[in-house]
């Protein structure tokens, strides 16, 4: 017998609403309208990655209980150390001539289909883009809710066709100190680098984002391709990826290399395992309740326990943080 377990965010039949009711009708129309306007106004040759827009809403990932953070906040309160360490630095600094189009990404390593491919062509090969609303939790104990556009990472992995020896997927992000002032400092080891275990990467939640709110992803959020793994802390979400490498051994991600006692490889959101310098039991909700946000309890695996707990069965999550 085939038993189907509903995903936590799946709407019960009775709660199903027409698509237009989601995010409220005006917001969605505005989003689509703005997206189209942005594309139309962008001068030829300077466009962000636009393949796949307008995107289609994936009804499986639109929990009506999640209230998306405003576009303005998502795109102006950022962590992107290549463009400065302040939250307000990336927006101006990543938009002073840094070109994210055209963009080439390389799929390489233990795969049968190594390829260097233009970001737009990749989106087209992946069958276009869809929109999913996910919770986002930073290791610094703040959170947002973000409507991401993009495609499931599992599609890219199937396209790359890994060999059996490939146990991990790594993500190398761009390295361009001329355009990125932070890369002319030793703030981190450049380029920013991340990785996932193969079964984590194949989980349906793992996503490559190419947009936000139905618009091509802005430079400060990691144009044109960035990783999204909603049950993990935000530092796993490598921005502006240039290489996806399939490897046999667990890689050492940038923040673990910086400070292994504070940042691990797994980085699963876990309210019971505190950061050595602060509690992870609750989080500040950015954009809710005034400038400093309201606090809410942090959920195990950021609310995606039903989807991902099985990946870590039998593992000590205090040691594997
Ligand atoms: N990717 C790169 N290349 N450089 C970075 O500094 N910061 C990470 C992650 N990806 C970072 C990165 C951290 S710490 C977080 S919380 C998220 O990006 C922030 O994503 P956002 O600015 O889109 O909210």
């Amino acid at each position: 017998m085939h038993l189907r377990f509903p995903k936590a965010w799946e709407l019960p039949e009775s709660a199903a609403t027409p698509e237009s009711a989601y995010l409220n009708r005006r917001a969605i129309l505005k989003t689509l309208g703005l997206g189209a306007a942005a594309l139309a106004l962008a001068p030829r040759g300077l466009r962000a990655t636009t393949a796949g827009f307008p995107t289609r809403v994936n009804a499986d990932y639109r929990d009506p209980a999640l209230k998306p953070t405003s576009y303005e906040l998502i795109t102006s309160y950022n962590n992107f150390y290549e463009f400065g360490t302040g939250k307000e630095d990336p927006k101006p600094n990543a938009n002073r001539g840094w070109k994210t189009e055209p963009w080439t990404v390389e799929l390489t390593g233990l795969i049968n289909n190594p390829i260097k491919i233009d970001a737009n062509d990749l989106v087209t090969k992946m069958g276009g883009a869809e929109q999913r609303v996910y919770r986002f939790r930073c290791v610094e104990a703040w959170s947002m809710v973000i409507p991401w556009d993009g495609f499931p990472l599992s599609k890219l992995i199937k396209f790359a066709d890994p060999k059996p020896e490939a146990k991990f997927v790594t993500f190398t992000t761009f390295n361009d100190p001329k355009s990125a002032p932070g890369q002319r400092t030793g703030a981190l080891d450049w380029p920013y680098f991340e990785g996932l275990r193969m079964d984590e990467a194949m989980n349906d939640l793992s996503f490559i984002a190419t947009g936000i709110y139905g618009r091509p992803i802005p430079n400060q959020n990691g144009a044109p391709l960035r990783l999204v793994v909603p049950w993990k802390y935000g530092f796993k979400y490598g921005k502006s990826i240039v290489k996806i490498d399939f490897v046999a051994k667990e890689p050492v991600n940038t923040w673990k290399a910086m400070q292994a006692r504070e940042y691990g490889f797994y980085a699963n959101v876990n309210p019971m395992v505190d950061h050595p310098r602060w509690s992870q039991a609750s989080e500040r909700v950015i954009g809710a309740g005034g400038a400093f946000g309201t606090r809410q309890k942090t959920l195990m695996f950021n609310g995606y326990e039903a989807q991902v707990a099985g990946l870590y069965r039998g593992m000590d999550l205090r040691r594997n943080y």
Side-chain angles (χ1 to χ4, degrees), residues 70-265:
S70 74
Y71 181 82
E72 177 55 30
L73 276 172
I74 296 170
T75 59
S76 62
Y77 185 92
N78 299 106
N79 273 337
F80 202 171
Y81 277 26
E82 286 86 336
F83 297 98
T85 52
K87 298 282 183 282
E88 279 88 33
D89 295 338
K91 185 175 178 181
N93 292 345
N95 290 288
R96 283 206 184 99
W98 177 44
K99 282 191 71 177
T100 53
E101 203 280 333
W103 190 273
T104 304
V105 59
E106 181 181 10
L107 312 187
T108 187
L110 302 168
I111 52 177
N112 293 314
N113 190 22
I115 189 174
K116 281 187 182 165
I117 186 168
D118 172 76
N120 277 307
D121 294 343
L122 179 67
V123 176
T124 305
K125 272 215 185 313
M126 296 299 105
E130 60 178 65
Q131 186 172 91
R132 298 177 173 198
V133 178
Y134 281 163
R135 294 185 191 87
F136 176 85
R137 170 64 156 78
C138 177
V139 72
E140 298 162 339
W142 52 266
S143 71
M144 296 189 184
V145 171
I146 306 186
W148 299 107
D149 305 277
F151 55 84
L153 176 59
S154 61
K155 273 195 187 174
L156 181 147
I157 294 175
K158 283 177 201 147
F159 172 68
D161 191 11
K163 297 178 178 170
E165 313 89 87
K167 303 291 184 215
F168 295 87
V169 190
T170 72
F171 303 85
T172 305
T173 75
F174 82 108
N175 196 13
D176 178 4
K178 273 207 193 99
S179 309
Q183 289 184 333
R184 303 198 288 267
T185 75
L188 291 175
D189 280 343
W190 311 111
Y192 197 96
F193 176 76
E194 262 303 340
L196 296 172
R197 220 169 59 192
M198 184 63 82
D199 57 347
E200 297 180 312
M202 285 298 292
N203 188 277
D204 193 47
L205 290 169
S206 299
F207 201 63
I208 297 291
T210 62
I212 289 174
Y213 264 108
R215 305 169 68 177
I217 194 163
N219 284 0
Q220 64 270 27
N221 291 89
L225 305 165
R226 67 94 57 91
L227 181 63
V228 172
V229 273
W231 72 100
K232 293 181 178 285
Y233 292 123
F235 71 83
K236 294 297 288 183
Y237 298 37
K239 290 178 168 182
S240 307
I241 295 164
V242 294
K243 186 163 87 177
I244 301 181
D245 192 5
F246 294 75
V247 301
K249 284 208 192 106
E250 184 179 301
V252 181
N253 44 311
T254 294
W255 277 101
K256 184 173 177 181
M258 284 297 290
Q259 186 47 274
R261 220 173 64 80
E262 301 193 356
Y263 309 99
F265 172 73

